[in-house]
Amino acid sequence: MSELRHPSGFVPDLESTAMVVETMAATLALARALVHAGHRIDLDGVEREIGDLCAETVALPRADGQALRPALESLLREVEALEDDLSLRPGDT
């Protein structure tokens, strides 16, 4: 099987993908804090970034992808929590 590459030529590895997961988790935590403080947030780029992260994860060797599983599950919980927080905001539908 050939190695999957990012359109830019970047070949994902465990370390760089783990950093992306950490960065996305921090971004979502900040977004949740802003929502709790009553601010409106713009999530236009988040869906694209999550899609890119999924593509990177799929491109990893199986063992590396499995190593990221707990972090990815935690990230999914952050996404779901943000979704819940946003659904509680009146008038933001």
Side-chain angles (χ1 to χ4, degrees):
M1 185 167 138
S2 65
E3 198 172 62
L4 294 176
R5 292 180 182 266
H6 190 274
S8 68
F10 169 74
V11 178
D13 61 44
L14 179 58
E15 185 178 327
S16 63
T17 304
M19 286 178 22
V20 172
V21 172
E22 289 177 28
T23 301
M24 182 57 66
T27 298
L28 293 174
L30 176 59
R32 289 188 66 209
L34 289 169
V35 167
H36 284 277
H39 297 278
R40 295 183 63 94
I41 57 172
D42 180 3
L43 296 173
D44 286 343
V46 172
E47 185 175 343
R48 179 182 47 78
E49 292 295 326
I50 294 287
D52 289 348
L53 174 59
C54 290
E56 281 185 36
T57 303
V58 169
L60 291 171
R62 185 176 191 88
D64 289 351
Q66 289 295 327
L68 282 177
R69 186 175 181 156
L72 291 168
E73 289 173 343
S74 178
L75 184 62
L76 176 59
R77 287 189 295 275
E78 277 294 324
V79 169
E80 291 169 342
L82 177 58
E83 189 175 53
D84 290 345
D85 293 344
L86 288 170
S87 71
L88 298 175
R89 297 258 328 242
D92 280 356
T93 57

